[in-house]
Amino acid sequence: MCAMKGLNRRQFLASSTLVTGAALLPWSFTSRAAAVAVSTTGGTPHKGGVLRISVDQAVTMLNPQQARVNPEYLVAELLYSGLTRLTQEMKAEADLAQSWQSSTDLKQWTFTLRPGLRFSDGSPLTSADVVASLQAILDPKNASPGQHNIGPIKTVSAADASTVVIETDVPYADLPVMLTYPVAKVIPVSIATGDLTRLNKEALGAGPFKLVSYDPERKIVVERNPHYYDPQRPYIDGVEVVVYPDGIAESSALIAGDTDLMLSAQASEFSRLTKSPDIQPLRVSSGQFLNINMGCDQKPFNDPRVRQALALCVDRQATVDFVANGFGTAGEDNPVNSAYPYFAALAKKAVDYSKAKALLAQAGYPNGLDLKLIASDKPSTRTQLGIALREMAKPGGFRIEVQTMAHSTYLDQVWKKNNFYVGFYNMQPTPDAVFSLLYTSSAAWNETRWNNADFDAAVSAARETADPAQRAGLYGKAQQLMYDEVPSLIPTFFDLLAASRDYVAGYHLHPRGAVFRLDHVWLTDKAPKRAV
């Protein structure tokens, strides 16, 4: 068991109940899942059967270019395709595009489409559809989440019916990977340039499945698309996406055999699923993380010594045990972990209260520091991290008040405005994506306002470099700067958890969390026989 320095487990749990409105989950050190497989097996794939997959919230957005949450990303992926798709190793692979190449300056990319592509109604899919689709995503008036997430695209054009040319504002080595973004789906040009609201109630894509019925609060049914470009896939005849807002009920449905696969499992339910017969628990290391954002342009966090002192108070493994129920890995104040390419393995940070107090004194706080930390109530792990930090930081001279508020209020009053609050972020497809989303001076969500010129330069140079060794060095420098200067505390990365019946084969839980690849799934002979 990993105990916090200066505070035993009993004291920690007792003091943690004092936060008003804080829901404290049980401290868990169960680690059976550490040996759990991250994918199912089942021999040679074969066709047939219907997969019933449960999700924990309604699929209220059917338009693939407007999807916002994982269940909506799932349905978009079933019904639509993009130019590229993301592999388990976080690399781009062919989807509608069979190949691509860039100019030497990495500012012009040419994508060649597969021959004979068709939408699910049998109509041809050409470069005109791709161009119109990407332009619709980039059009500010459509407010697609992909507008700022598919790369610094300047123009999109069609060289001929099977060739798409994309020009970027700056050299950009990651474009094929960023085009795997979950909303970067191709729709017919007639819809992309016409009435996009049609996609709120109907689906016309080139994905592995086509829509049968859509009841957003209850169930979405799809069946195999006969016009899909790969005649071998999908292996299953169809998919039923069933909505279970209650996590316990969702787990019970899987155990009872009413569903076949859970999109995600709560940590509190994962142990129960692991112990259930005929259930395959699924777990994968991910770059999803909680952090403590500090406004580096405001006192006291404009002094890096204050941020460094706080970092020296954090027992990182104890934080994983408490906040992630042991289903995670420790972080070193760097948003890139081992699930990403170009991860730099830096020295593990250790608790040092004497040094923390000395740094605070040097920063002008010899008697310690009083702070108020804001946490949204969703997910509840935000408050748990706040509680953990409050107790850990006391011996270092920090007196932290933790305030929990409704998520809607947090988004309106705190997010990107306050100078000390708990953030929560999903894994991004590349290091550049997470750095450019959160930590560069021009980041879309520049919450810390760190604005470090050396960091910006390293990230920019890596973005414009194709050589892997050079990119590794540049990203290593960026990670070292974050490690040293601590614009935000990142003590915890979460493993992603899910579960399936043991007859579900070929499913790999993806570290990105928003990628599912159900066209590679099949059902073994043990599966119940059912039709769409």
Side-chain angles (χ1 to χ4, degrees):
M1 183 179 297
C2 181
M4 298 178 186
K5 305 292 190 299
L7 186 73
N8 65 39
R9 178 174 178 265
R10 183 184 301 275
Q11 292 169 329
F12 182 86
L13 291 176
S15 62
S16 296
T17 62
L18 300 178
V19 175
T20 302
L24 180 64
L25 293 182
W27 189 304
S28 171
F29 293 94
T30 56
S31 59
R32 177 182 174 190
V36 169
V38 299
S39 65
T40 54
T41 57
T44 303
H46 59 85
K47 289 190 175 183
V50 174
L51 179 74
R52 302 165 303 175
I53 180 169
S54 66
V55 298
D56 59 3
Q57 55 188 307
V59 183
T60 56
M61 181 58 66
L62 192 58
N63 182 340
Q65 296 187 352
Q66 296 291 335
R68 304 151 299 178
V69 294
N70 281 355
E72 293 171 356
Y73 295 150
L74 168 66
V75 172
E77 187 182 296
L78 293 173
L79 299 172
Y80 295 88
S81 292
L83 282 175
T84 56
R85 65 191 304 189
L86 199 63
T87 70
Q88 198 76 12
E89 295 75 31
M90 308 298 289
K91 297 179 181 179
E93 70 174 2
D95 199 5
L96 296 177
Q98 65 178 1
S99 63
W100 52 87
Q101 60 184 6
S102 73
S103 59
T104 54
D105 65 359
L106 297 177
K107 293 181 69 174
Q108 185 180 85
W109 290 82
T110 302
F111 293 83
T112 302
L113 301 182
R114 297 176 186 271
L117 290 172
R118 294 187 177 275
F119 288 105
S120 58
D121 65 351
S123 59
L125 188 159
T126 71
S127 59
D129 300 293
V130 177
V131 170
S133 297
L134 293 178
Q135 289 175 341
I137 293 170
L138 295 169
D139 190 339
K141 77 172 188 292
N142 293 329
S144 170
Q147 181 187 351
H148 300 293
N149 291 295
I150 60 174
I153 295 176
K154 182 179 180 180
T155 63
V156 187
S157 61
D160 54 46
S162 61
T163 307
V164 176
V165 179
I166 298 177
E167 294 188 5
T168 58
D169 288 314
V170 295
Y172 194 63
D174 286 331
L175 184 66
V177 178
M178 295 310 293
L179 288 172
T180 69
Y181 196 74
V183 306
K185 305 302 185 187
V186 174
I187 60 179
V189 60
S190 59
I191 297 178
T193 58
D195 183 12
L196 283 168
T197 62
R198 282 181 55 187
L199 298 180
N200 296 340
K201 296 182 179 180
E202 62 179 292
L204 186 53
F209 299 90
K210 63 178 184 177
L211 187 64
V212 174
S213 62
Y214 173 58
D215 184 345
E217 301 287 341
R218 193 178 68 87
K219 183 166 64 175
I220 298 89
V221 179
V222 303
E223 64 182 6
R224 182 187 290 117
N225 175 12
H227 303 291
Y228 190 52
Y229 61 75
D230 186 340
Q232 300 302 315
R233 303 194 322 269
Y235 302 118
I236 49 180
D237 294 330
V239 179
E240 295 180 0
V241 180
V242 187
V243 180
Y244 280 88
D246 180 79
I248 296 176
E250 184 179 11
S251 297
S252 297
L254 183 70
I255 292 170
D258 295 330
T259 58
D260 308 315
L261 173 65
M262 290 179 66
L263 192 68
S264 64
Q266 299 176 3
S268 56
E269 285 294 298
F270 192 67
S271 294
R272 177 164 78 109
L273 291 164
T274 301
K275 297 171 185 175
S276 301
D278 304 321
I279 298 296
Q280 172 66 52
L282 307 172
R283 176 182 178 184
V284 68
S285 179
S286 172
Q288 184 186 85
F289 66 89
L290 282 170
N291 69 350
I292 305 292
N293 285 305
M294 295 173 280
C296 300
D297 60 342
Q298 302 176 35
K299 290 184 176 182
F301 300 115
N302 60 342
D303 191 323
R305 291 171 295 189
V306 173
R307 308 193 303 263
Q308 292 162 351
L310 191 58
L312 288 168
C313 297
V314 180
D315 185 328
R316 289 151 198 275
Q317 187 55 52
T319 305
V320 172
D321 293 332
F322 177 58
V323 179
N325 277 7
F327 300 122
T329 54
E332 309 299 334
D333 306 326
N334 164 25
V336 174
N337 71 346
S338 59
Y340 281 95
Y342 304 113
F343 165 64
L346 303 174
K348 302 294 184 183
K349 292 188 175 183
V351 174
D352 189 334
Y353 288 127
S354 296
K355 187 174 181 180
K357 287 181 176 180
L359 285 169
L360 273 185
Q362 293 169 21
Y365 304 99
N367 299 319
L369 193 57
D370 294 288
L371 299 168
K372 177 183 284 188
L373 178 66
I374 308 297
S376 162
D377 63 350
K378 292 183 180 179
S380 61
T381 46
R382 295 196 202 223
T383 295
Q384 291 176 257
L385 178 57
I387 294 168
L389 182 65
R390 182 193 68 185
E391 300 305 320
M392 290 176 179
K394 282 180 181 178
F398 291 91
R399 297 175 293 274
I400 299 174
E401 174 190 350
V402 180
Q403 179 184 347
T404 300
M405 62 176 56
H407 190 61
S408 58
T409 305
Y410 161 86
L411 290 175
D412 181 55
Q413 299 181 7
V414 176
W415 184 52
K416 297 192 292 185
K417 301 180 181 71
N418 197 269
N419 74 333
F420 196 43
Y421 62 90
V422 185
F424 176 77
Y425 305 97
N426 282 318
M427 185 176 182
Q428 300 301 310
T430 66
D432 178 77
V434 70
F435 288 148
S436 299
L437 179 67
L438 300 174
Y439 292 108
T440 60
S441 300
S442 59
W445 297 345
N446 184 14
E447 299 169 288
T448 64
R449 302 174 296 281
W450 180 35
N451 300 345
N452 184 293
D454 291 338
F455 177 83
D456 292 347
V459 173
S460 178
R463 181 186 303 134
E464 300 174 9
T465 301
D467 180 76
Q470 293 181 28
R471 298 191 88 194
L474 290 163
Y475 281 132
K477 179 180 178 180
Q479 292 171 69
Q480 184 71 57
L481 285 166
M482 291 200 66
Y483 177 96
D484 292 339
E485 294 206 9
V486 199
S488 71
L489 290 174
I490 307 177
T492 306
F493 289 93
F494 291 89
D495 294 347
L496 300 185
L497 308 174
S500 73
R501 302 292 298 186
D502 60 4
Y503 50 74
V504 176
Y507 181 69
H508 296 256
L509 191 58
H510 199 284
R512 174 79 165 86
V515 179
F516 311 99
R517 301 171 66 89
L518 293 188
D519 51 306
H520 289 272
V521 171
W522 73 96
L523 303 177
T524 69
D525 294 337
K526 186 179 177 180
K529 305 301 179 183
R530 63 178 83 93
V532 180

